[in-house]
Amino acid sequence: MRSTTLLLPLYTAAFAAAISYPKDAQAVLQQPQLTIVEPDEYLIELSPGETRWVTEDDKWELRRQNINFFDITHNEELGTLNRKLTGSSVKFPSKPAHNESIAPLLKQLKKDNMRRHLETFTSFHTRYYKSHYGVESSAWLLSQVDKTLADSGAVNASVKAFPHPWGQASIIATIPGKSNKTVVIGAHQDSINLFFPALLAAPGADDDGSGTVTILEALRVLLKSEEILKGDHDNTIEFHWYSAEEGGLLGSQAIFQSYEKEGRDVKAMLQQDMTGYVQKTLDAGEPESVGVITDFVDPGLTEFIKQVITVYCGIPYVLTKCGYACSDHASATKAGYPSAFVIESDFKYSDNKIHTTEDKIEYLSFDHMLQHARMTLALAYELAFAEFK
Ligand SMILES: *[C@@H]1O[C@H](CO)[C@@H](O)[C@H](O)[C@H]1NC(C)=O
Ligand SMILES: *[C@@H]1O[C@H](CO)[C@@H](O)[C@H](O)[C@H]1NC(C)=O
Ligand SMILES: *[C@@H]1O[C@H](CO)[C@@H](O)[C@H](O)[C@H]1NC(C)=O
């Protein structure tokens, strides 16, 4: 495998000076020049054990054909240590048990916050993980999470950048509970224009700006709970914003590989990738619903999420499938952690403007995102207090 060196453009301090970033973000922005070694070919996994060497152009061609994969060039170890330890042996509650605490929280979720965040997030030319714009959008998101935690007064909550060699960092916010048993809520922060990733605009409003702002709003309101603020919950809650999902689940693989190595005890992971588009569902004369993914997920966690939707959302769910490695929950599964995925609709009615210059806010429904935020908040609260034996 020959190697070439890719120099990411020098990032000037002008942009950084205009906005006040937390320390972590400053450090990311001040890296003078990122030098990463890019292989000529990448090893991808298209289904369990089915691998192939491809060029980067081949990767984008496969994605244009809606074929998903793990890029395992640097992640071949993922899943080799932990697979037998947890997985489907985790028992989830038989039904939701915290309506009295959660109902008053649900009322505090605000569409305006999601819209405001999404307007800025989509104003970056692209959030392509190898571009300097992707570094900037990540730093901005980190500053928003940092502000959310600071405003909440949660003394032990924290956020950090999880750096990657390609430039754009993932982001991890932690609300420590009484134990290290951990529940992860995830979305991916990067966007891509699959025609010319390095050049063309990729607003990525739905994919996955929508999931990004949905879970950020759920985090804000979760911290309105007195019990959570006092750290009275049993389990640790983390919110993750992954880098480089579009490159083959790169950020989430790096994070879950590190968790697996550290022996982290992740009990559940919920991914939301696209939470805002409903038009094709409505055009087909079908009721607005959230799409619960049933393939390559943990059946017990998925069953509990269906109950959470029934109790806490104003719309029903439909069961649907998205194939192997279709979003970052697949990395958690591979590491041996129970994972689930909920998307905006039946997969066949999901947004087909993604990965283009047309993935814009104007096509999205913030009422629908609010339903995903209700589910996220309720699930995070329920599992924060769940007794995992
Ligand atoms: C949850 O609590 C709210 C507010 O107290 C109440 O209106 C609602 O009926 C309850 N839902 C369930 C499923 O118990
Ligand atoms: C959680 O993990 C940290 C780091 O390994 C450790 O210091 C701490 O004691 C653990 N906390 C509990 C409650 O097990
Ligand atoms: C914060 O963490 C400290 C040290 O673990 C602990 O003593 C304290 O109770 C925690 N406070 C809250 C509000 O969680």
Side-chain angles (χ1 to χ4, degrees):
M1 190 165 65
R2 283 169 299 137
S3 289
T4 52
T5 299
L6 181 93
L7 296 179
L8 291 183
L10 181 68
Y11 182 72
T12 67
F15 184 83
I19 307 176
S20 114
Y21 289 107
K23 260 206 303 298
D24 253 8
Q26 302 263 3
V28 172
L29 289 169
Q30 282 161 13
Q31 284 172 20
Q33 197 166 43
L34 299 164
T35 306
I36 56 176
V37 177
E38 284 287 310
D40 285 346
E41 292 210 315
Y42 298 82
L43 185 60
I44 62 169
E45 186 184 52
L46 295 129
S47 68
E50 184 198 350
T51 61
R52 194 190 295 173
W53 285 98
V54 297
T55 64
E56 185 159 79
D57 284 344
D58 295 337
K59 275 172 62 168
W60 308 143
E61 178 55 29
L62 286 164
R63 299 296 317 280
R64 286 194 292 269
Q65 296 170 26
N66 296 319
I67 296 170
N68 294 313
F69 47 80
F70 285 99
D71 177 343
I72 60 170
T73 317
H74 300 293
N75 300 296
E76 278 192 86
E77 271 188 285
L78 179 65
T80 55
L81 298 172
N82 189 32
R83 191 168 289 168
K84 289 172 289 305
L85 293 184
T86 51
S88 56
S89 63
V90 177
K91 289 266 178 299
F92 293 93
S94 59
K95 56 179 180 11
H98 297 282
N99 183 49
E100 272 181 32
S101 306
I102 293 173
L105 294 176
L106 294 174
K107 293 191 194 127
Q108 300 179 58
L109 291 165
K110 290 208 169 66
K111 287 188 281 183
D112 278 357
N113 290 332
M114 294 191 283
R115 181 181 289 279
R116 199 166 38 78
H117 282 137
L118 197 53
E119 279 169 0
T120 307
F121 209 45
T122 53
S123 71
F124 293 91
H125 176 65
T126 177
R127 301 189 303 274
Y128 182 50
Y129 62 100
K130 290 194 209 173
S131 68
H132 69 92
Y133 302 108
V135 175
E136 290 161 19
S137 64
S138 180
W140 177 80
L141 180 59
L142 178 60
S143 74
Q144 297 307 301
V145 178
D146 194 60
K147 182 173 187 311
T148 300
L149 298 184
D151 290 350
S152 76
V155 290
N156 290 341
S158 62
V159 62
K160 64 174 190 209
F162 185 104
H164 300 292
W166 51 83
Q168 182 186 60
S170 293
I171 295 171
I172 299 178
T174 306
I175 314 169
K178 288 190 274 191
S179 80
N180 283 336
K181 293 170 190 168
T182 300
V183 173
V184 176
I185 303 291
H188 75 87
Q189 58 175 285
D190 63 311
S191 68
I192 194 168
N193 187 308
L194 279 179
F195 297 93
F196 279 108
L199 288 179
L200 293 183
D206 196 27
D207 187 9
D208 184 23
S210 60
T212 293
V213 302
T214 295
I215 72 170
L216 179 55
E217 179 62 2
L219 169 63
R220 183 186 72 82
V221 177
L222 183 64
L223 292 169
K224 298 282 179 198
S225 153
E226 282 301 316
E227 295 80 15
I228 301 274
L229 264 189
K230 282 188 287 185
D232 279 350
H233 51 296
D234 295 292
N235 307 309
T236 293
I237 310 289
E238 289 188 354
F239 283 72
H240 292 184
W241 289 268
Y242 304 111
S243 169
E245 188 265 358
E246 303 288 8
L249 317 181
L250 295 170
S252 57
Q253 286 188 83
I255 289 176
F256 285 108
Q257 183 160 285
S258 81
Y259 280 23
E260 190 185 0
K261 280 189 183 152
E262 291 163 19
R264 290 284 308 266
D265 189 7
V266 177
K267 294 299 189 190
M269 187 274 175
L270 169 67
Q271 173 77 350
Q272 283 170 97
D273 185 354
M274 299 159 65
T275 65
Y277 181 82
V278 289
Q279 198 54 49
K280 274 203 281 175
T281 303
L282 303 180
D283 289 350
E286 304 276 343
E288 181 183 338
S289 342
V290 295
V292 173
I293 300 289
T294 59
D295 56 342
F296 303 102
V297 294
D298 183 80
L301 175 59
T302 300
E303 202 50 47
F304 185 63
I305 288 170
K306 283 154 67 177
Q307 297 196 40
V308 164
I309 294 165
T310 301
V311 172
Y312 297 110
C313 294
I315 58 175
Y317 60 82
V318 285
L319 301 180
T320 187
K321 294 182 180 177
C322 67
Y324 188 65
C326 69
S327 194
D328 294 304
H329 62 295
S331 301
T333 296
K334 212 177 194 192
Y337 302 130
S339 81
F341 177 22
V342 179
I343 190 171
E344 58 205 5
S345 64
D346 191 322
F347 193 63
K348 68 173 182 280
Y349 298 135
S350 67
D351 196 344
N352 57 10
K353 292 187 177 70
I354 61 169
H355 306 149
T356 73
T357 53
E358 279 300 290
D359 185 2
K360 293 179 177 164
I361 292 184
E362 64 202 73
Y363 304 114
L364 303 186
S365 160
F366 284 86
D367 287 312
H368 194 69
M369 274 184 238
L370 191 62
Q371 295 295 334
H372 281 264
R374 290 173 72 95
M375 175 195 57
T376 311
L377 172 59
L379 183 77
Y381 192 99
E382 288 281 347
L383 293 185
F385 290 93
E387 274 184 52
F388 293 115
K389 295 203 190 76

